[in-house]
Structure formats: C-alpha cells, structure tokens
Amino acid sequence: MEPVPMLLAMTYRAMGDQFHDRLRQIGLEPLRPAHGYVFRFLKEKRATTVDIGQHLGVTKQAAAKIVNELDDWGYVLREPHPTDKRAQYVTLTTKGRDYLKFADNLWADLEGEMAEAIGEDTLATIRRGLAAYLQHVHGEDQPGLRPVW
Amino acid sequence: MEPVPMLLAMTYRAMGDQFHDRLRQIGLEPLRPAHGYVFRFLKEKRATTVDIGQHLGVTKQAAAKIVNELDDWGYVLREPHPTDKRAQYVTLTTKGRDYLKFADNLWADLEGEMAEAIGEDTLATIRRGLAAYLQHVHGEDQPGLRPVW
DNA sequence: AGAATAAGGTCAACCAGGTTGTCTACCTGA
DNA sequence: TCAGGTAGACAACCTGGTTGACCTTATTCT
C-alpha cells in the first residue's frame, strides 16, 4: 500500500503539469506555482515580503526574489507601510488581478475534469478531509506551501 | 475557495515535516523523500538507475547522484545486469530493507493519526480518489514523484 | 529617556539539487 | 553489419533556495 504522501505528491505534480501546459499555450511569463500563491495571498490581505515568505515557507530573502520578479513583470508594486517606516506593503496591480482571474478559471476547469473523473462528492470529501487534517495538525497557522523534496 | 493543489502541497509538507522530525530523533543519515521512494521502488522490482530516474521524475544524472549517496551509506549496492553489459541493477542491502521497514511503521503511525483526526473512511476515500484521478490522467505510466515547485 | 533587543529589507556568498551536453561502451533491428 | 538508440559516467552550468552580515526603524525593559 502506497503511503499517502506519494499520492499527494503525484497528484500535485499531475495537476501542476496540466496547469503549466495550458498556461504555456497562452504564452505568459514563466510563472511558477509560488507566484500564483503570492497572488492569491495578496488578494486576501495586505502583506509584506516577510509575510509572503512565511506563507510560502521560505526565507524572507527567497520571498524577496519572487517579489522582485513579480515587480519587474508588473504584477505587483510596493507601497510604503502607513505606520512602519521599515516595511512595505506588496499589492497586486491590475495585471496581477487579471492573471489571478485567468488562473482561477483554469483551475476551475481542471477541478471540473477531476470531479468528472472521480465524482463530485469524492472531490468534496478530499477537500474537506485535507483541510481538516491541516487544521488538526497546525491549528490556525498553516504550514508552508512549498513541498519539501 | 482554495485550489486543491494548495491543499495537496500543504498536506504533503505537513506530513513530510512530521516524518522528518521523528526520523531525526533517531539520528539516521539525512535521508530525503527521494531516498525513501527509491527504497520502495526497489522493493517492488529490480531497477536500473535510469528506471529510478524515470520513477522519480528526474533525469538519469540526478538519479545517479541519489543512488551514489545511498551506495555510500550502504543502503543499496549495484550488481551487474545479467544480460546487458552496460547496465547495473540497483538492489537494497539489509540496511536498506531495515530502513524501509522502519519508515513504513512510521508512516503507518502518521496515517493512523490522520485517520483518527479526519476519520477512517474519509482517509480511505482520499486514497481511492487520488489514485483514481492519477489513473484517469496518466493511465498506467505514472507521473514523476517529485513535486515541481 | 535611554539602552538593549527585535524586526523589515537588502546585499553578498554560498550550496543543494537539479539540468544539458558529451562521451564511451554496448545493444538491437533492418 | 552497420545505423541508431540506450546505460552510465563526467563536467559545466543554472535555479532557487540558504546563511550571515548589515542598516534602519520599532518595541520593550529598566
């Protein structure tokens, strides 16, 4: 019996590969999963580079590199923190929000195909089950997103 | 609604972190997930370095590095291929099999805790659902194990 | 208030774990 | 038999992370 993590890794990769393939047909910048997760994070809340690093599960220096790329490509911009002169808020530009919308549609398509393959209810159970496990293990502060290889 | 891949990545990491933590308390070599997956693969079938690379989803050169490490640590050894003079079979040593047994127990513990947290049946559904999806997407030839970040 | 400590951001050096490219020895099919 | 493909080793390189030092600003403690 295969360990669950193998299934998780394989499924993650399978979905990611499909996403990436379809994205490449559009011909956008070489966005990696990390970039997408940053968009999604920034949609929810105002965040600094340090926040982003923590969310991704990498150091602040690594997060800074990612933010720099997104900045260069025009997906985000930095604005001064209102009260803390050291800090900067990273915020989505219109281009960033557009990308996120596009990606969300693509994910929805992929999940739709998944639901069709394994059943709507099974997918829902997977979703709830994993979320519950994460809740159980980590409480409110979620683990990093980066899969450690 | 969070995309499923985020849940997969987070769960994979959460489980992997726990596994790694407990493993470190024992004080073994710094084995990474890839090493474990190689053990498991070698238990099933005789395999060459190229086979291993394909299974992991990396190039044969990357696989060769991993095999070298395992060889240095005494977990595997290479023996000549019976018919193909170019090739070598990589096989588990006793130490390798012992590790695998130990790791399996540890995984079983972790999955037991997971089952306790989210329910036996939910875990079973997750397992079946993911396996079915992989089957649907890739047919018999499974995708690489390495999560692409 | 002032000193010690912590935190955000940046720079630079380094490293791990991959990749691509090349070469040799061997295998296989027309 | 010979053309093309494959296993494996070696080397150069790249990417995406880490560690460590530093400056500046915040916060906490006395």
Side-chain angles (χ1 to χ4, degrees), chain A residues 48-50 60-61 78 86-88 149:
Chain A
T48 67
T49 299
V50 171
K60 59 181 180 176
Q61 292 91 330
R78 301 162 209 244
R86 297 168 304 175
Q88 299 167 348
W149 174 243

PDB file of all heavy atoms in Angstrom, chain A residues 48-50 60-61 78 86-88 149, chain C residues 6-13 17-18:
ATOM      1  N   THR A  48       3.493  42.057   3.693  1.00  0.00           N
ATOM      2  CA  THR A  48       4.873  42.461   3.420  1.00  0.00           C
ATOM      3  C   THR A  48       5.631  41.271   2.846  1.00  0.00           C
ATOM      4  O   THR A  48       5.111  40.149   2.797  1.00  0.00           O
ATOM      5  CB  THR A  48       5.570  42.905   4.708  1.00  0.00           C
ATOM      6  OG1 THR A  48       5.711  41.760   5.558  1.00  0.00           O
ATOM      7  CG2 THR A  48       4.769  43.981   5.420  1.00  0.00           C
ATOM      8  N   THR A  49       6.843  41.536   2.426  1.00  0.00           N
ATOM      9  CA  THR A  49       7.658  40.449   1.880  1.00  0.00           C
ATOM     10  C   THR A  49       7.877  39.357   2.923  1.00  0.00           C
ATOM     11  O   THR A  49       7.855  38.168   2.603  1.00  0.00           O
ATOM     12  CB  THR A  49       9.014  40.989   1.411  1.00  0.00           C
ATOM     13  OG1 THR A  49       8.794  41.968   0.381  1.00  0.00           O
ATOM     14  CG2 THR A  49       9.873  39.878   0.850  1.00  0.00           C
ATOM     15  N   VAL A  50       8.075  39.771   4.150  1.00  0.00           N
ATOM     16  CA  VAL A  50       8.272  38.789   5.216  1.00  0.00           C
ATOM     17  C   VAL A  50       7.037  37.904   5.371  1.00  0.00           C
ATOM     18  O   VAL A  50       7.146  36.677   5.488  1.00  0.00           O
ATOM     19  CB  VAL A  50       8.593  39.497   6.551  1.00  0.00           C
ATOM     20  CG1 VAL A  50       8.570  38.500   7.698  1.00  0.00           C
ATOM     21  CG2 VAL A  50       9.952  40.166   6.469  1.00  0.00           C
ATOM     22  N   LYS A  60      12.848  35.074   4.040  1.00  0.00           N
ATOM     23  CA  LYS A  60      12.422  36.366   3.503  1.00  0.00           C
ATOM     24  C   LYS A  60      13.251  36.755   2.285  1.00  0.00           C
ATOM     25  O   LYS A  60      12.755  37.418   1.375  1.00  0.00           O
ATOM     26  CB  LYS A  60      12.535  37.440   4.583  1.00  0.00           C
ATOM     27  CG  LYS A  60      13.926  37.622   5.149  1.00  0.00           C
ATOM     28  CD  LYS A  60      13.953  38.690   6.251  1.00  0.00           C
ATOM     29  CE  LYS A  60      15.353  38.870   6.819  1.00  0.00           C
ATOM     30  NZ  LYS A  60      15.403  39.976   7.813  1.00  0.00           N
ATOM     31  N   GLN A  61      14.504  36.289   2.244  1.00  0.00           N
ATOM     32  CA  GLN A  61      15.333  36.601   1.080  1.00  0.00           C
ATOM     33  C   GLN A  61      14.809  35.928  -0.171  1.00  0.00           C
ATOM     34  O   GLN A  61      14.763  36.537  -1.255  1.00  0.00           O
ATOM     35  CB  GLN A  61      16.780  36.170   1.326  1.00  0.00           C
ATOM     36  CG  GLN A  61      17.515  36.953   2.388  1.00  0.00           C
ATOM     37  CD  GLN A  61      17.378  36.348   3.764  1.00  0.00           C
ATOM     38  OE1 GLN A  61      16.364  35.719   4.070  1.00  0.00           O
ATOM     39  NE2 GLN A  61      18.368  36.532   4.618  1.00  0.00           N
ATOM     40  N   ARG A  78       5.102  47.941  -4.820  1.00  0.00           N
ATOM     41  CA  ARG A  78       5.322  48.110  -3.384  1.00  0.00           C
ATOM     42  C   ARG A  78       4.893  49.506  -2.992  1.00  0.00           C
ATOM     43  O   ARG A  78       5.207  50.478  -3.686  1.00  0.00           O
ATOM     44  CB  ARG A  78       6.813  47.940  -3.065  1.00  0.00           C
ATOM     45  CG  ARG A  78       7.381  46.606  -3.466  1.00  0.00           C
ATOM     46  CD  ARG A  78       8.883  46.717  -3.515  1.00  0.00           C
ATOM     47  NE  ARG A  78       9.465  45.792  -4.477  1.00  0.00           N
ATOM     48  CZ  ARG A  78      10.269  44.794  -4.140  1.00  0.00           C
ATOM     49  NH1 ARG A  78      10.573  44.582  -2.891  1.00  0.00           N
ATOM     50  NH2 ARG A  78      10.771  44.009  -5.069  1.00  0.00           N
ATOM     51  N   ARG A  86       9.977  50.924   8.183  1.00  0.00           N
ATOM     52  CA  ARG A  86      10.852  49.897   7.622  1.00  0.00           C
ATOM     53  C   ARG A  86      10.143  49.112   6.535  1.00  0.00           C
ATOM     54  O   ARG A  86      10.741  48.700   5.541  1.00  0.00           O
ATOM     55  CB  ARG A  86      11.261  48.892   8.712  1.00  0.00           C
ATOM     56  CG  ARG A  86      12.057  49.458   9.838  1.00  0.00           C
ATOM     57  CD  ARG A  86      12.121  48.445  10.966  1.00  0.00           C
ATOM     58  NE  ARG A  86      10.787  48.030  11.400  1.00  0.00           N
ATOM     59  CZ  ARG A  86      10.550  47.099  12.298  1.00  0.00           C
ATOM     60  NH1 ARG A  86      11.563  46.431  12.841  1.00  0.00           N
ATOM     61  NH2 ARG A  86       9.327  46.807  12.661  1.00  0.00           N
ATOM     62  N   ALA A  87       8.862  48.938   6.714  1.00  0.00           N
ATOM     63  CA  ALA A  87       8.134  47.946   5.929  1.00  0.00           C
ATOM     64  C   ALA A  87       7.504  48.523   4.671  1.00  0.00           C
ATOM     65  O   ALA A  87       7.322  49.735   4.525  1.00  0.00           O
ATOM     66  CB  ALA A  87       7.052  47.315   6.799  1.00  0.00           C
ATOM     67  N   GLN A  88       7.220  47.616   3.731  1.00  0.00           N
ATOM     68  CA  GLN A  88       6.486  47.972   2.518  1.00  0.00           C
ATOM     69  C   GLN A  88       5.376  46.955   2.327  1.00  0.00           C
ATOM     70  O   GLN A  88       5.587  45.764   2.492  1.00  0.00           O
ATOM     71  CB  GLN A  88       7.407  47.905   1.298  1.00  0.00           C
ATOM     72  CG  GLN A  88       8.586  48.849   1.358  1.00  0.00           C
ATOM     73  CD  GLN A  88       9.616  48.516   0.298  1.00  0.00           C
ATOM     74  OE1 GLN A  88       9.542  47.459  -0.327  1.00  0.00           O
ATOM     75  NE2 GLN A  88      10.565  49.409   0.097  1.00  0.00           N
ATOM     76  N   TRP A 149      11.292  18.662  -0.860  1.00  0.00           N
ATOM     77  CA  TRP A 149      11.694  17.487  -1.618  1.00  0.00           C
ATOM     78  C   TRP A 149      12.980  16.936  -1.048  1.00  0.00           C
ATOM     79  O   TRP A 149      13.973  17.589  -1.010  1.00  0.00           O
ATOM     80  CB  TRP A 149      11.885  17.861  -3.089  1.00  0.00           C
ATOM     81  CG  TRP A 149      12.432  16.763  -3.934  1.00  0.00           C
ATOM     82  CD1 TRP A 149      13.624  16.757  -4.610  1.00  0.00           C
ATOM     83  CD2 TRP A 149      11.824  15.494  -4.230  1.00  0.00           C
ATOM     84  NE1 TRP A 149      13.781  15.602  -5.309  1.00  0.00           N
ATOM     85  CE2 TRP A 149      12.698  14.797  -5.089  1.00  0.00           C
ATOM     86  CE3 TRP A 149      10.635  14.899  -3.847  1.00  0.00           C
ATOM     87  CZ2 TRP A 149      12.411  13.513  -5.564  1.00  0.00           C
ATOM     88  CZ3 TRP A 149      10.352  13.644  -4.317  1.00  0.00           C
ATOM     89  CH2 TRP A 149      11.232  12.957  -5.176  1.00  0.00           C
TER      90      TRP A 149
ATOM     91  P    DA C   6      15.990  39.639  21.392  1.00  0.00           P
ATOM     92  OP1  DA C   6      15.337  38.502  22.065  1.00  0.00           O
ATOM     93  OP2  DA C   6      17.311  39.494  20.756  1.00  0.00           O
ATOM     94  O5'  DA C   6      14.959  40.176  20.304  1.00  0.00           O
ATOM     95  C5'  DA C   6      13.664  40.589  20.747  1.00  0.00           C
ATOM     96  C4'  DA C   6      12.942  41.233  19.594  1.00  0.00           C
ATOM     97  O4'  DA C   6      13.613  42.466  19.238  1.00  0.00           O
ATOM     98  C3'  DA C   6      12.899  40.393  18.323  1.00  0.00           C
ATOM     99  O3'  DA C   6      11.581  40.470  17.821  1.00  0.00           O
ATOM    100  C2'  DA C   6      13.909  41.069  17.396  1.00  0.00           C
ATOM    101  C1'  DA C   6      13.762  42.518  17.829  1.00  0.00           C
ATOM    102  N9   DA C   6      14.897  43.401  17.562  1.00  0.00           N
ATOM    103  C8   DA C   6      16.206  43.213  17.902  1.00  0.00           C
ATOM    104  N7   DA C   6      17.002  44.199  17.533  1.00  0.00           N
ATOM    105  C5   DA C   6      16.138  45.094  16.904  1.00  0.00           C
ATOM    106  C6   DA C   6      16.361  46.340  16.281  1.00  0.00           C
ATOM    107  N6   DA C   6      17.557  46.920  16.192  1.00  0.00           N
ATOM    108  N1   DA C   6      15.287  46.963  15.743  1.00  0.00           N
ATOM    109  C2   DA C   6      14.085  46.376  15.838  1.00  0.00           C
ATOM    110  N3   DA C   6      13.763  45.205  16.395  1.00  0.00           N
ATOM    111  C4   DA C   6      14.841  44.612  16.913  1.00  0.00           C
ATOM    112  P    DA C   7      11.099  39.511  16.674  1.00  0.00           P
ATOM    113  OP1  DA C   7       9.767  38.992  17.048  1.00  0.00           O
ATOM    114  OP2  DA C   7      12.230  38.617  16.352  1.00  0.00           O
ATOM    115  O5'  DA C   7      10.891  40.497  15.443  1.00  0.00           O
ATOM    116  C5'  DA C   7       9.991  41.593  15.556  1.00  0.00           C
ATOM    117  C4'  DA C   7      10.120  42.429  14.317  1.00  0.00           C
ATOM    118  O4'  DA C   7      11.364  43.161  14.387  1.00  0.00           O
ATOM    119  C3'  DA C   7      10.186  41.605  13.027  1.00  0.00           C
ATOM    120  O3'  DA C   7       9.321  42.188  12.082  1.00  0.00           O
ATOM    121  C2'  DA C   7      11.638  41.698  12.595  1.00  0.00           C
ATOM    122  C1'  DA C   7      12.030  43.060  13.151  1.00  0.00           C
ATOM    123  N9   DA C   7      13.452  43.218  13.401  1.00  0.00           N
ATOM    124  C8   DA C   7      14.299  42.333  14.001  1.00  0.00           C
ATOM    125  N7   DA C   7      15.540  42.764  14.087  1.00  0.00           N
ATOM    126  C5   DA C   7      15.495  44.015  13.508  1.00  0.00           C
ATOM    127  C6   DA C   7      16.477  44.996  13.289  1.00  0.00           C
ATOM    128  N6   DA C   7      17.764  44.851  13.646  1.00  0.00           N
ATOM    129  N1   DA C   7      16.100  46.136  12.688  1.00  0.00           N
ATOM    130  C2   DA C   7      14.825  46.284  12.327  1.00  0.00           C
ATOM    131  N3   DA C   7      13.805  45.429  12.479  1.00  0.00           N
ATOM    132  C4   DA C   7      14.214  44.310  13.089  1.00  0.00           C
ATOM    133  P    DG C   8       9.069  41.514  10.694  1.00  0.00           P
ATOM    134  OP1  DG C   8       7.605  41.392  10.529  1.00  0.00           O
ATOM    135  OP2  DG C   8       9.948  40.346  10.579  1.00  0.00           O
ATOM    136  O5'  DG C   8       9.589  42.639   9.694  1.00  0.00           O
ATOM    137  C5'  DG C   8       8.818  43.804   9.487  1.00  0.00           C
ATOM    138  C4'  DG C   8       9.455  44.639   8.389  1.00  0.00           C
ATOM    139  O4'  DG C   8      10.784  45.009   8.813  1.00  0.00           O
ATOM    140  C3'  DG C   8       9.608  43.890   7.071  1.00  0.00           C
ATOM    141  O3'  DG C   8       9.236  44.752   6.003  1.00  0.00           O
ATOM    142  C2'  DG C   8      11.099  43.537   7.006  1.00  0.00           C
ATOM    143  C1'  DG C   8      11.742  44.630   7.849  1.00  0.00           C
ATOM    144  N9   DG C   8      12.918  44.157   8.585  1.00  0.00           N
ATOM    145  C8   DG C   8      12.988  43.050   9.385  1.00  0.00           C
ATOM    146  N7   DG C   8      14.167  42.880   9.922  1.00  0.00           N
ATOM    147  C5   DG C   8      14.915  43.943   9.442  1.00  0.00           C
ATOM    148  C6   DG C   8      16.273  44.277   9.680  1.00  0.00           C
ATOM    149  O6   DG C   8      17.107  43.690  10.383  1.00  0.00           O
ATOM    150  N1   DG C   8      16.644  45.428   9.004  1.00  0.00           N
ATOM    151  C2   DG C   8      15.804  46.170   8.202  1.00  0.00           C
ATOM    152  N2   DG C   8      16.336  47.242   7.623  1.00  0.00           N
ATOM    153  N3   DG C   8      14.535  45.864   7.973  1.00  0.00           N
ATOM    154  C4   DG C   8      14.164  44.736   8.620  1.00  0.00           C
ATOM    155  P    DG C   9       9.271  44.213   4.525  1.00  0.00           P
ATOM    156  OP1  DG C   9       8.370  45.058   3.726  1.00  0.00           O
ATOM    157  OP2  DG C   9       9.105  42.753   4.538  1.00  0.00           O
ATOM    158  O5'  DG C   9      10.766  44.547   4.087  1.00  0.00           O
ATOM    159  C5'  DG C   9      11.131  45.912   3.974  1.00  0.00           C
ATOM    160  C4'  DG C   9      12.571  46.015   3.536  1.00  0.00           C
ATOM    161  O4'  DG C   9      13.431  45.519   4.577  1.00  0.00           O
ATOM    162  C3'  DG C   9      12.919  45.215   2.288  1.00  0.00           C
ATOM    163  O3'  DG C   9      13.404  46.109   1.302  1.00  0.00           O
ATOM    164  C2'  DG C   9      14.007  44.245   2.730  1.00  0.00           C
ATOM    165  C1'  DG C   9      14.532  44.899   3.988  1.00  0.00           C
ATOM    166  N9   DG C   9      15.056  43.957   4.978  1.00  0.00           N
ATOM    167  C8   DG C   9      14.388  42.882   5.538  1.00  0.00           C
ATOM    168  N7   DG C   9      15.114  42.221   6.400  1.00  0.00           N
ATOM    169  C5   DG C   9      16.327  42.883   6.403  1.00  0.00           C
ATOM    170  C6   DG C   9      17.518  42.612   7.126  1.00  0.00           C
ATOM    171  O6   DG C   9      17.724  41.709   7.950  1.00  0.00           O
ATOM    172  N1   DG C   9      18.529  43.524   6.838  1.00  0.00           N
ATOM    173  C2   DG C   9      18.400  44.557   5.948  1.00  0.00           C
ATOM    174  N2   DG C   9      19.474  45.323   5.790  1.00  0.00           N
ATOM    175  N3   DG C   9      17.302  44.834   5.252  1.00  0.00           N
ATOM    176  C4   DG C   9      16.310  43.948   5.529  1.00  0.00           C
ATOM    177  P    DT C  10      13.770  45.598  -0.141  1.00  0.00           P
ATOM    178  OP1  DT C  10      13.420  46.686  -1.072  1.00  0.00           O
ATOM    179  OP2  DT C  10      13.226  44.243  -0.298  1.00  0.00           O
ATOM    180  O5'  DT C  10      15.371  45.489  -0.093  1.00  0.00           O
ATOM    181  C5'  DT C  10      16.128  46.636   0.279  1.00  0.00           C
ATOM    182  C4'  DT C  10      17.606  46.261   0.325  1.00  0.00           C
ATOM    183  O4'  DT C  10      17.877  45.450   1.487  1.00  0.00           O
ATOM    184  C3'  DT C  10      18.090  45.470  -0.888  1.00  0.00           C
ATOM    185  O3'  DT C  10      19.197  46.144  -1.451  1.00  0.00           O
ATOM    186  C2'  DT C  10      18.458  44.102  -0.312  1.00  0.00           C
ATOM    187  C1'  DT C  10      18.793  44.460   1.137  1.00  0.00           C
ATOM    188  N1   DT C  10      18.633  43.339   2.119  1.00  0.00           N
ATOM    189  C2   DT C  10      19.671  43.073   2.975  1.00  0.00           C
ATOM    190  O2   DT C  10      20.710  43.678   2.973  1.00  0.00           O
ATOM    191  N3   DT C  10      19.427  42.028   3.841  1.00  0.00           N
ATOM    192  C4   DT C  10      18.282  41.267   3.924  1.00  0.00           C
ATOM    193  O4   DT C  10      18.188  40.366   4.744  1.00  0.00           O
ATOM    194  C5   DT C  10      17.232  41.609   2.993  1.00  0.00           C
ATOM    195  C7   DT C  10      15.959  40.842   2.992  1.00  0.00           C
ATOM    196  C6   DT C  10      17.456  42.620   2.149  1.00  0.00           C
ATOM    197  P    DC C  11      19.833  45.721  -2.831  1.00  0.00           P
ATOM    198  OP1  DC C  11      20.098  46.957  -3.583  1.00  0.00           O
ATOM    199  OP2  DC C  11      19.014  44.639  -3.411  1.00  0.00           O
ATOM    200  O5'  DC C  11      21.231  45.095  -2.369  1.00  0.00           O
ATOM    201  C5'  DC C  11      21.951  45.722  -1.304  1.00  0.00           C
ATOM    202  C4'  DC C  11      23.185  44.891  -0.977  1.00  0.00           C
ATOM    203  O4'  DC C  11      22.870  43.963   0.074  1.00  0.00           O
ATOM    204  C3'  DC C  11      23.716  44.066  -2.148  1.00  0.00           C
ATOM    205  O3'  DC C  11      25.125  44.191  -2.217  1.00  0.00           O
ATOM    206  C2'  DC C  11      23.282  42.650  -1.826  1.00  0.00           C
ATOM    207  C1'  DC C  11      23.274  42.666  -0.301  1.00  0.00           C
ATOM    208  N1   DC C  11      22.312  41.704   0.304  1.00  0.00           N
ATOM    209  C2   DC C  11      22.699  40.948   1.409  1.00  0.00           C
ATOM    210  O2   DC C  11      23.835  41.090   1.873  1.00  0.00           O
ATOM    211  N3   DC C  11      21.819  40.072   1.944  1.00  0.00           N
ATOM    212  C4   DC C  11      20.599  39.947   1.414  1.00  0.00           C
ATOM    213  N4   DC C  11      19.758  39.081   1.972  1.00  0.00           N
ATOM    214  C5   DC C  11      20.176  40.710   0.279  1.00  0.00           C
ATOM    215  C6   DC C  11      21.055  41.573  -0.242  1.00  0.00           C
ATOM    216  P    DA C  12      25.932  43.638  -3.476  1.00  0.00           P
ATOM    217  OP1  DA C  12      26.995  44.600  -3.800  1.00  0.00           O
ATOM    218  OP2  DA C  12      24.955  43.189  -4.500  1.00  0.00           O
ATOM    219  O5'  DA C  12      26.592  42.344  -2.824  1.00  0.00           O
ATOM    220  C5'  DA C  12      27.176  42.448  -1.532  1.00  0.00           C
ATOM    221  C4'  DA C  12      27.677  41.089  -1.080  1.00  0.00           C
ATOM    222  O4'  DA C  12      26.607  40.369  -0.431  1.00  0.00           O
ATOM    223  C3'  DA C  12      28.166  40.185  -2.213  1.00  0.00           C
ATOM    224  O3'  DA C  12      29.354  39.548  -1.783  1.00  0.00           O
ATOM    225  C2'  DA C  12      27.016  39.217  -2.412  1.00  0.00           C
ATOM    226  C1'  DA C  12      26.535  39.066  -0.977  1.00  0.00           C
ATOM    227  N9   DA C  12      25.165  38.595  -0.826  1.00  0.00           N
ATOM    228  C8   DA C  12      24.085  38.934  -1.594  1.00  0.00           C
ATOM    229  N7   DA C  12      22.963  38.343  -1.223  1.00  0.00           N
ATOM    230  C5   DA C  12      23.339  37.570  -0.141  1.00  0.00           C
ATOM    231  C6   DA C  12      22.620  36.708   0.695  1.00  0.00           C
ATOM    232  N6   DA C  12      21.320  36.472   0.576  1.00  0.00           N
ATOM    233  N1   DA C  12      23.302  36.084   1.686  1.00  0.00           N
ATOM    234  C2   DA C  12      24.612  36.320   1.812  1.00  0.00           C
ATOM    235  N3   DA C  12      25.402  37.115   1.095  1.00  0.00           N
ATOM    236  C4   DA C  12      24.694  37.724   0.117  1.00  0.00           C
ATOM    237  P    DA C  13      30.244  38.727  -2.771  1.00  0.00           P
ATOM    238  OP1  DA C  13      31.615  39.262  -2.705  1.00  0.00           O
ATOM    239  OP2  DA C  13      29.530  38.610  -4.065  1.00  0.00           O
ATOM    240  O5'  DA C  13      30.236  37.300  -2.048  1.00  0.00           O
ATOM    241  C5'  DA C  13      30.560  37.248  -0.664  1.00  0.00           C
ATOM    242  C4'  DA C  13      30.244  35.872  -0.134  1.00  0.00           C
ATOM    243  O4'  DA C  13      28.808  35.706  -0.044  1.00  0.00           O
ATOM    244  C3'  DA C  13      30.747  34.744  -1.048  1.00  0.00           C
ATOM    245  O3'  DA C  13      31.435  33.789  -0.259  1.00  0.00           O
ATOM    246  C2'  DA C  13      29.476  34.199  -1.697  1.00  0.00           C
ATOM    247  C1'  DA C  13      28.430  34.487  -0.627  1.00  0.00           C
ATOM    248  N9   DA C  13      27.073  34.644  -1.158  1.00  0.00           N
ATOM    249  C8   DA C  13      26.694  35.378  -2.249  1.00  0.00           C
ATOM    250  N7   DA C  13      25.404  35.328  -2.496  1.00  0.00           N
ATOM    251  C5   DA C  13      24.905  34.504  -1.499  1.00  0.00           C
ATOM    252  C6   DA C  13      23.616  34.050  -1.201  1.00  0.00           C
ATOM    253  N6   DA C  13      22.536  34.381  -1.928  1.00  0.00           N
ATOM    254  N1   DA C  13      23.459  33.241  -0.142  1.00  0.00           N
ATOM    255  C2   DA C  13      24.536  32.908   0.579  1.00  0.00           C
ATOM    256  N3   DA C  13      25.810  33.271   0.402  1.00  0.00           N
ATOM    257  C4   DA C  13      25.922  34.075  -0.670  1.00  0.00           C
ATOM    258  P    DG C  17      20.375  18.124  -1.524  1.00  0.00           P
ATOM    259  OP1  DG C  17      19.316  17.610  -0.620  1.00  0.00           O
ATOM    260  OP2  DG C  17      21.663  17.430  -1.671  1.00  0.00           O
ATOM    261  O5'  DG C  17      19.721  18.314  -2.952  1.00  0.00           O
ATOM    262  C5'  DG C  17      18.600  19.175  -3.106  1.00  0.00           C
ATOM    263  C4'  DG C  17      18.317  19.319  -4.569  1.00  0.00           C
ATOM    264  O4'  DG C  17      19.319  20.172  -5.172  1.00  0.00           O
ATOM    265  C3'  DG C  17      18.381  17.999  -5.340  1.00  0.00           C
ATOM    266  O3'  DG C  17      17.343  17.978  -6.288  1.00  0.00           O
ATOM    267  C2'  DG C  17      19.741  18.072  -6.027  1.00  0.00           C
ATOM    268  C1'  DG C  17      19.802  19.552  -6.332  1.00  0.00           C
ATOM    269  N9   DG C  17      21.124  20.047  -6.634  1.00  0.00           N
ATOM    270  C8   DG C  17      22.324  19.609  -6.121  1.00  0.00           C
ATOM    271  N7   DG C  17      23.355  20.256  -6.599  1.00  0.00           N
ATOM    272  C5   DG C  17      22.799  21.176  -7.475  1.00  0.00           C
ATOM    273  C6   DG C  17      23.424  22.158  -8.280  1.00  0.00           C
ATOM    274  O6   DG C  17      24.633  22.407  -8.397  1.00  0.00           O
ATOM    275  N1   DG C  17      22.499  22.898  -9.014  1.00  0.00           N
ATOM    276  C2   DG C  17      21.135  22.705  -8.968  1.00  0.00           C
ATOM    277  N2   DG C  17      20.388  23.503  -9.740  1.00  0.00           N
ATOM    278  N3   DG C  17      20.541  21.779  -8.213  1.00  0.00           N
ATOM    279  C4   DG C  17      21.434  21.067  -7.501  1.00  0.00           C
ATOM    280  P    DG C  18      16.778  16.526  -6.713  1.00  0.00           P
ATOM    281  OP1  DG C  18      15.674  16.261  -5.795  1.00  0.00           O
ATOM    282  OP2  DG C  18      17.914  15.600  -6.827  1.00  0.00           O
ATOM    283  O5'  DG C  18      16.142  16.786  -8.144  1.00  0.00           O
ATOM    284  C5'  DG C  18      16.904  16.734  -9.320  1.00  0.00           C
ATOM    285  C4'  DG C  18      16.947  18.081  -9.985  1.00  0.00           C
ATOM    286  O4'  DG C  18      17.989  18.847  -9.364  1.00  0.00           O
ATOM    287  C3'  DG C  18      17.292  18.049 -11.466  1.00  0.00           C
ATOM    288  O3'  DG C  18      16.127  17.932 -12.234  1.00  0.00           O
ATOM    289  C2'  DG C  18      17.980  19.378 -11.679  1.00  0.00           C
ATOM    290  C1'  DG C  18      18.643  19.651 -10.340  1.00  0.00           C
ATOM    291  N9   DG C  18      20.074  19.365 -10.269  1.00  0.00           N
ATOM    292  C8   DG C  18      20.708  18.427  -9.490  1.00  0.00           C
ATOM    293  N7   DG C  18      22.003  18.446  -9.600  1.00  0.00           N
ATOM    294  C5   DG C  18      22.256  19.463 -10.511  1.00  0.00           C
ATOM    295  C6   DG C  18      23.472  19.955 -11.020  1.00  0.00           C
ATOM    296  O6   DG C  18      24.613  19.572 -10.755  1.00  0.00           O
ATOM    297  N1   DG C  18      23.270  20.998 -11.934  1.00  0.00           N
ATOM    298  C2   DG C  18      22.038  21.491 -12.295  1.00  0.00           C
ATOM    299  N2   DG C  18      22.037  22.494 -13.179  1.00  0.00           N
ATOM    300  N3   DG C  18      20.889  21.046 -11.818  1.00  0.00           N
ATOM    301  C4   DG C  18      21.069  20.037 -10.930  1.00  0.00           C
TER     302       DG C  18
END
